[in-house]
Amino acid sequence: MLGNFIYSNPTKLYFGDHARHHLEEALAHVGHKVLLTYGGGSIKRNGVYDDVMAALAATGKEVVELPGVMPNPTVEKLLEGAHLARTADVDFILAVGGGSTVDYAKAVSVAAWYDGDPWQRFWVNQEEPLAAERVIPLGAVLTMAGTGSEMNGGSVITDTASSMKIGKVFGERMMPRFAVLNPRYTFSVPKRQMVAGIFDIMSHIMEQYFSGDDDCTSDYLAEGLMRSVIASSRVAVNDPENYEARSNIMWSATWALNTLICQGKKEDWMVHMIGHAISAHTDATHGMTLAAVSPAYYRHVCRYGLKRFARFARVVWDIPAQGRTDEQLAHAGIDALAAWIKEIGAATSIASLGVTPAMIEDVASSVIIFDSGYHKLSHQEVVDILQASL
Amino acid sequence: MLGNFIYSNPTKLYFGDHARHHLEEALAHVGHKVLLTYGGGSIKRNGVYDDVMAALAATGKEVVELPGVMPNPTVEKLLEGAHLARTADVDFILAVGGGSTVDYAKAVSVAAWYDGDPWQRFWVNQEEPLAAERVIPLGAVLTMAGTGSEMNGGSVITDTASSMKIGKVFGERMMPRFAVLNPRYTFSVPKRQMVAGIFDIMSHIMEQYFSGDDDCTSDYLAEGLMRSVIASSRVAVNDPENYEARSNIMWSATWALNTLICQGKKEDWMVHMIGHAISAHTDATHGMTLAAVSPAYYRHVCRYGLKRFARFARVVWDIPAQGRTDEQLAHAGIDALAAWIKEIGAATSIASLGVTPAMIEDVASSVIIFDSGYHKLSHQEVVDILQASL
């Protein structure tokens, strides 16, 4: 049931393959000195960097570059960026890249003018910056679809010292002022990364969908998004430059995690928690960790929410209800999910991501356990799910 | 296919039955002198007026009242409101009521400081106020779910002299700054009005859904919203004070017409155009006019978009595809729609709304014909559809 909430999402989205022409318009409304942050340099090979630098030059910005954001941004990298943003006294942060880069930009934004340990305060202790504290406004030019970071306040950071990967969801103030969503910018993403992004989207939707047994509009919207992602993924894996499919995937990613489909929902997020622990220990690609553990996780918890899993099978996977019990339907739906994971080339085992049987206890110990979906896992259940995902 | 577009929706939504507590918070950010506009006084009987006046008093506002907004707001009423808003020099307009009242507030907002004929300029000529022109910011406290006016720029006005009812979709600037969406405020709406609102929602979704044969995320979201509206309507007509159902209906109404599911879509709107012509001649309730003509309209045009209508039958109405041609499926879907119209108590004929056979030529002549859905209607086809809807 929809409870009491405030919905406000100020991010302005410039969508489409003309989107780069809008970047100048968007930049006209932000400050003079821009911290430009990006990853390993792929944007220099595919032309995105040139587009962005042209728009920054046309709007007369002073640019400070902060490259080298890694797929799982670390506390060390955060401290480096925060120091640079502060000493350069930038007015705005422009993230160019995938979700990790946008997450990183938010982290730098809140950390730059904070004198203490940002990791402890914002991630470990899950605090929000105070209203009077200075944060740096940011925008995004997205080059990969998946995390939804372009229209939300989420920021995931990894502490390699403690093998902890933690997500913090900041409020409206930390959402990007704008995001440029050009599906063509995602064409040069390696196929494996595209597939990881697709599963990340699917997982975001499922982790908001699998809770409760009430009637809630959010679940119907979630079903629509899942059907769209599945349909487009099947086109995109065979034809990665199919603009229609890539544009649907990009748009679905944004709406999968921008505070729309979570309204009225408890949210599960245990697949993300297990996935984060795997990435913290192996540096495995985020979306692949989710794919590798989802079938085992859902086979384990579906008994606690059979009706919703049966509905998932019927509505999302078009499995006829006739002649099947809810339990049979539920498992048929998860089987369809597992078959789709294989079909699109996502990870089907955590062993393929570098997790060995000997590591399972350690990985399980890094998992933050929430009591938010159909069932609260014990440590032993996490171990069992990891073992079933090998 | 998703094309090039800018998505930006600045309306802040305060949802839930604690929403009235947020009104003070929302009002704190707006100007001192508030034009309070509402309808026939039902808000004085159900307590909403008292809630609103208390919030206005608590925030120290000076209030100018503008009651008497009718279900199909007229040009005369618009001119009265514009004159009052200008002479009182109000800083903000607060609409308390259903979609008509919110539409009216937008119309007053753009007309107040314009010296010419607002009806000709904004509705007949479909112009937008210039950036430099003064418009008055507005907010809404919604008491009826249906039009979606609380989170969009739409404003429908009726000129009784010419029997023309025209909608104008203004841009982001005319969207409400905030909307208070309290499902309990809709409980006292007479059942017939509730049902009219429900069909209005369904029609908004269908009129964005029935176009194109491409693969577009917007259509999957539309299907989810339709499924939710249908499920909740069945609960609400038997139990109008079912909070869960009324909250889903209210939320679906907002998302049915707030620029989300139109992205990448041609939009049809011929059912609305025919419905507007009926209302202009009879003053019939908006949603009922849509219900009365929809089955005949869709039976007529479905031959031009069979695949989408077949998908509508399968996904929205769960009609098995097996053993049916696309044409049979399409008609089965429209039959299901017609049966649902009857089931929830929406209008099944335009005769029941006051249209006589003798009026049909005149009504048809008032219909603005768009070429935007699957098929552009001729005048004779409009006449045929009206006759089939008698």
Side-chain angles (χ1 to χ4, degrees):
Chain A
M1 188 162 81
L2 293 160
N4 284 281
F5 63 85
I6 299 174
Y7 178 90
S8 179
N9 199 318
T11 306
K12 192 164 193 158
L13 303 173
Y14 297 91
F15 193 93
D17 60 355
H18 295 167
R20 65 179 165 181
H21 303 303
H22 292 298
L23 183 55
E24 285 184 33
E25 183 191 329
L27 287 172
H29 302 289
V30 309
H32 173 67
K33 198 166 185 179
V34 175
L35 182 71
L36 177 67
T37 187
Y38 53 94
S42 64
I43 60 167
K44 292 193 177 172
R45 293 188 296 276
N46 60 21
V48 177
Y49 179 83
D50 294 338
D51 284 355
V52 170
M53 289 305 278
L56 287 163
T59 48
K61 304 297 180 192
E62 185 179 346
V63 180
V64 178
E65 296 200 38
L66 172 54
V69 181
M70 59 287 284
N72 292 308
T74 63
V75 173
E76 290 69 29
K77 184 71 187 172
L78 163 57
L79 296 176
E80 176 203 328
H83 180 74
L84 178 60
R86 183 169 181 154
T87 51
D89 195 8
V90 300
D91 304 305
F92 193 77
I93 304 173
L94 184 62
V96 181
S100 298
T101 308
V102 185
D103 280 22
Y104 177 71
K106 291 173 198 167
V108 169
S109 166
V110 294
W113 294 94
Y114 175 59
D115 291 321
D117 177 348
W119 166 253
Q120 276 298 324
R121 181 175 174 208
F122 300 114
W123 284 268
V124 176
N125 297 335
Q126 294 280 305
E127 288 180 37
E128 192 78 9
L130 302 176
E133 286 178 300
R134 182 168 170 188
V135 300
I136 305 169
L138 62 124
V141 176
L142 207 64
T143 61
M144 186 178 153
T147 71
S149 190
E150 63 275 14
M151 204 187 187
N152 67 35
S155 174
V156 184
I157 296 295
T158 298
D159 180 41
T160 46
S162 62
S163 290
M164 292 299 286
K165 180 175 174 178
I166 305 179
K168 162 68 186 162
V169 180
F170 294 104
E172 183 183 332
R173 192 169 166 219
M174 297 308 303
M175 294 182 185
R177 297 292 175 91
F178 65 82
V180 173
L181 306 181
N182 183 344
R184 279 196 209 286
Y185 282 175
T186 70
F187 281 7
S188 60
V189 170
K191 187 170 169 180
R192 185 182 147 83
Q193 298 300 322
M194 175 189 80
V195 169
I198 289 169
F199 196 85
D200 194 22
I201 303 166
M202 187 70 175
S203 195
H204 289 160
I205 308 170
M206 290 193 293
E207 293 183 70
Q208 294 168 88
Y209 178 74
F210 285 122
S211 72
D213 56 3
D214 54 331
D215 189 57
C216 180
T217 299
S218 293
D219 293 317
Y220 296 87
L221 289 168
E223 287 162 347
L225 283 174
M226 285 190 275
R227 290 177 63 94
S228 183
V229 170
I230 294 163
S232 292
S233 71
R234 287 175 164 151
V235 176
V237 293
N238 292 308
D239 179 14
E241 300 211 351
N242 185 297
Y243 185 86
E244 182 172 83
R246 297 303 286 270
S247 67
N248 285 331
I249 290 167
M250 194 166 214
W251 193 231
S252 296
T254 300
W255 288 91
L257 198 60
N258 68 355
T259 77
L260 175 60
I261 66 167
C262 65
Q263 301 302 346
K265 297 292 301 178
K266 281 172 70 183
E267 301 170 51
D268 185 330
W269 297 122
M270 279 315 302
V271 168
H272 263 68
M273 293 307 103
I274 300 172
H276 284 180
I278 294 170
S279 285
H281 285 265
T282 63
D283 204 31
T285 303
H286 173 61
M288 293 305 190
T289 66
L290 310 177
V293 300
S294 285
Y297 175 73
Y298 290 121
R299 283 188 185 114
H300 183 77
V301 300
C302 72
R303 75 199 71 180
Y304 304 101
L306 270 188
K307 282 202 183 305
R308 176 58 49 86
F309 281 89
R311 175 174 159 176
F312 174 69
R314 277 190 295 105
V315 179
V316 178
W317 298 102
D318 289 323
I319 297 168
Q322 212 177 11
R324 286 185 173 88
T325 64
D326 276 355
E327 193 180 350
Q328 289 169 329
L329 256 180
H331 281 276
I334 300 167
D335 289 347
L337 173 69
W340 175 71
I341 288 170
K342 198 170 173 184
E343 175 189 348
I344 63 172
T348 54
S349 81
I350 59 172
S352 71
L353 304 174
V355 179
T356 62
M359 290 164 65
I360 282 184
E361 265 299 332
D362 272 359
V363 171
S365 298
S366 300
V367 173
I368 299 167
I369 295 178
F370 292 155
D371 182 15
S372 50
Y374 286 115
H375 173 68
K376 184 178 181 183
L377 298 179
S378 66
H379 173 79
Q380 186 55 48
E381 287 176 305
V382 174
V383 168
D384 292 346
I385 289 163
L386 286 167
Q387 256 158 357
S389 305
L390 270 172
Chain B
M1 186 162 82
L2 292 161
N4 283 281
F5 61 86
I6 299 173
Y7 178 90
S8 179
N9 199 318
T11 305
K12 192 163 193 159
L13 302 173
Y14 296 92
F15 193 93
D17 60 354
H18 295 167
R20 64 179 166 180
H21 302 302
H22 292 298
L23 183 56
E24 285 184 33
E25 182 190 330
L27 286 171
H29 302 290
V30 309
H32 173 68
K33 199 166 185 180
V34 175
L35 183 69
L36 176 68
T37 188
Y38 53 94
S42 63
I43 61 167
K44 291 194 177 171
R45 293 188 296 277
N46 59 20
V48 178
Y49 179 83
D50 293 338
D51 284 354
V52 170
M53 289 305 277
L56 287 163
T59 49
K61 304 298 181 191
E62 185 179 346
V63 180
V64 178
E65 296 199 38
L66 173 54
V69 181
M70 58 287 284
N72 292 309
T74 63
V75 173
E76 291 69 28
K77 185 71 187 171
L78 163 57
L79 296 177
E80 176 202 328
H83 179 73
L84 178 61
R86 184 168 181 155
T87 51
D89 195 8
V90 300
D91 304 305
F92 192 77
I93 305 174
L94 183 62
V96 181
S100 299
T101 308
V102 186
D103 280 23
Y104 177 72
K106 293 173 197 165
V108 169
S109 166
V110 294
W113 294 94
Y114 176 59
D115 290 322
D117 177 347
W119 166 253
Q120 277 297 324
R121 181 175 173 209
F122 300 114
W123 284 268
V124 176
N125 297 335
Q126 294 279 305
E127 288 180 36
E128 193 78 8
L130 302 176
E133 286 179 300
R134 182 169 170 187
V135 300
I136 305 169
L138 62 123
V141 176
L142 208 63
T143 61
M144 186 178 153
T147 71
S149 190
E150 64 275 13
M151 204 187 186
N152 67 36
S155 174
V156 183
I157 295 296
T158 298
D159 180 40
T160 46
S162 62
S163 291
M164 292 299 286
K165 180 175 174 178
I166 305 179
K168 161 69 186 162
V169 180
F170 293 104
E172 183 184 331
R173 193 171 165 216
M174 298 307 304
M175 293 180 185
R177 296 293 176 90
F178 66 81
V180 172
L181 307 181
N182 183 343
R184 280 195 207 286
Y185 283 174
T186 70
F187 281 7
S188 61
V189 169
K191 188 169 167 181
R192 186 182 146 82
Q193 298 299 324
M194 174 190 80
V195 169
I198 289 169
F199 197 83
D200 194 23
I201 303 166
M202 187 70 176
S203 194
H204 290 159
I205 308 170
M206 291 193 292
E207 293 183 69
Q208 294 168 88
Y209 178 73
F210 285 122
S211 71
D213 55 4
D214 55 329
D215 189 57
C216 180
T217 298
S218 293
D219 293 317
Y220 295 87
L221 289 168
E223 287 163 347
L225 283 174
M226 286 190 275
R227 291 177 63 95
S228 182
V229 170
I230 293 163
S232 292
S233 70
R234 287 176 163 151
V235 176
V237 293
N238 292 309
D239 180 13
E241 300 211 350
N242 185 297
Y243 184 87
E244 182 172 84
R246 297 303 285 271
S247 66
N248 285 331
I249 291 167
M250 194 165 214
W251 194 231
S252 297
T254 299
W255 288 91
L257 197 62
N258 68 355
T259 76
L260 175 61
I261 65 166
C262 65
Q263 301 303 347
K265 299 291 301 178
K266 281 172 71 183
E267 301 170 52
D268 184 331
W269 297 121
M270 279 314 302
V271 167
H272 263 69
M273 293 305 104
I274 300 172
H276 283 180
I278 294 170
S279 284
H281 284 265
T282 63
D283 204 30
T285 302
H286 172 61
M288 292 306 188
T289 65
L290 310 176
V293 301
S294 284
Y297 175 73
Y298 290 122
R299 283 188 184 113
H300 184 76
V301 299
C302 73
R303 75 199 71 181
Y304 304 101
L306 269 188
K307 282 201 181 308
R308 176 58 49 87
F309 280 90
R311 174 172 160 177
F312 174 70
R314 276 190 295 105
V315 179
V316 178
W317 299 102
D318 289 324
I319 297 169
Q322 212 177 11
R324 287 185 173 88
T325 64
D326 276 355
E327 192 179 352
Q328 288 168 330
L329 256 180
H331 280 276
I334 300 167
D335 289 347
L337 173 69
W340 176 70
I341 287 170
K342 198 170 173 184
E343 175 190 348
I344 63 172
T348 55
S349 80
I350 60 172
S352 72
L353 304 174
V355 178
T356 62
M359 289 164 65
I360 281 184
E361 265 300 332
D362 273 359
V363 171
S365 298
S366 300
V367 173
I368 299 167
I369 295 178
F370 292 155
D371 182 15
S372 50
Y374 285 115
H375 173 68
K376 184 178 180 182
L377 298 179
S378 66
H379 172 79
Q380 186 55 48
E381 287 176 305
V382 175
V383 168
D384 292 346
I385 288 162
L386 286 167
Q387 257 158 357
S389 306
L390 270 172

